[in-house]
Amino acid sequence: MTSPAHLTALRESYDTLADDYFAQVPPVSGMDPLNRGMPGAFAELVRADGSGPVADLGCGPGRTTAHLVGLGLSAFGIDLSPKMVEVARRNHPGLDFTEGSMACLDIASGTLGGIMAWYSVHHTPPEQLPGLFGEFHRVLAPGGRVLIGDWTGTGEEVVPGPVFGHPVSYRNYFLPLSRLVELLTEAGLDVTAHLEQEPDGRLKRRHACVLARKPPARNPAPVTS
């Protein structure tokens, strides 16, 4: 089966960027306090639910997966780029990393306690986000949590210039936070919290974190005689 063009562009570009990405992009622990805080809150909620493992989707070189494990979660990473997976395995031995697409997960339905998509959703064309979030809903256990961290915008499509000196062929799609919330809700996920930060000199674009949850299973009504 032929891979969609945007996935081919992503795979080829991130294969080229993998080593420089690991060397130059800070881990979650090196980000600002709010960006550090949201994964911590997500981990606490997932631990309290006790509903299954966590998938770090678009895990890149594995630092976010390792961060989640350090927060006490049973986490594994999935990335589209074979080179990113190679870098993740090399730098985080003992953790589980697999090549794959977040839009078509080789994961049984209703089995995950959580999903983290950390600055990876913005590569998906907007018209494909309903299917992507529907896939999130499918693999989550009832009550399972989602944390999305990503750049936001006004709906613009951006063709980036060279990244770390390497030309790339992928595109970025920066949606308003309100649209991300709407799409998650339409996919059957309850948005429980969201936070958007303004550019502050260090950051050149708004970015947001969104917490959502698959509705818990309802207990059947008691049978009365």
Side-chain angles (χ1 to χ4, degrees):
M1 182 176 179
T2 303
S3 176
H6 80 282
L7 295 183
T8 299
L10 275 174
R11 184 182 297 110
E12 292 176 350
S13 296
Y14 277 103
D15 276 351
T16 302
L17 296 174
D19 288 319
D20 287 328
Y21 190 103
F22 180 77
Q24 299 190 50
V25 174
V28 176
S29 60
M31 300 183 80
D32 65 272
L34 293 176
N35 256 324
R36 291 198 306 270
M38 290 298 275
F42 167 75
E44 185 173 343
L45 291 167
V46 173
R47 290 198 311 269
D49 294 336
S51 53
V54 172
D56 178 16
L57 302 182
C59 67
R63 282 175 161 166
T64 51
T65 313
H67 186 76
L68 293 175
V69 171
L71 292 172
L73 298 179
S74 174
F76 61 94
I78 297 176
D79 201 272
L80 189 66
S81 161
K83 182 63 175 178
M84 281 289 197
V85 170
E86 176 188 320
V87 171
R89 289 172 175 166
R90 182 172 68 240
N91 288 282
H92 304 285
L95 300 187
D96 182 11
F97 298 100
T98 304
E99 181 187 344
S101 169
M102 69 172 70
C104 185
L105 295 165
D106 186 18
I107 297 173
S109 298
T111 56
L112 293 183
I115 288 171
M116 182 164 168
W118 199 241
Y119 293 85
S120 54
V121 168
H122 67 274
H123 292 312
T124 300
E127 66 273 12
Q128 297 186 27
L129 285 175
L132 179 69
F133 294 154
E135 183 72 345
F136 289 9
H137 183 280
R138 179 186 71 80
V139 299
L140 283 171
R145 307 278 180 168
V146 177
L147 173 62
I148 294 174
D150 222 320
W151 308 109
T152 57
T154 59
E156 65 267 37
E157 176 181 338
V158 176
V159 180
V163 178
F164 308 133
H166 300 283
V168 296
S169 55
Y170 60 74
R171 298 191 175 203
N172 297 323
Y173 305 90
F174 300 123
L175 296 184
L177 172 58
S178 59
R179 181 58 178 153
L180 289 174
V181 169
E182 183 179 40
L183 287 166
L184 288 164
T185 302
E186 290 173 355
L189 298 164
D190 296 331
V191 174
T192 59
H194 51 80
L195 167 72
E196 187 169 35
Q197 293 181 253
E198 297 292 331
D200 61 2
R202 182 180 64 86
L203 297 170
K204 297 180 180 179
R205 174 175 293 278
R206 290 186 182 92
H207 63 111
C209 294
V210 185
L211 275 168
R213 191 183 195 194
K214 184 173 179 176
R218 293 185 177 181
N219 293 325
V223 177
T224 57
S225 57

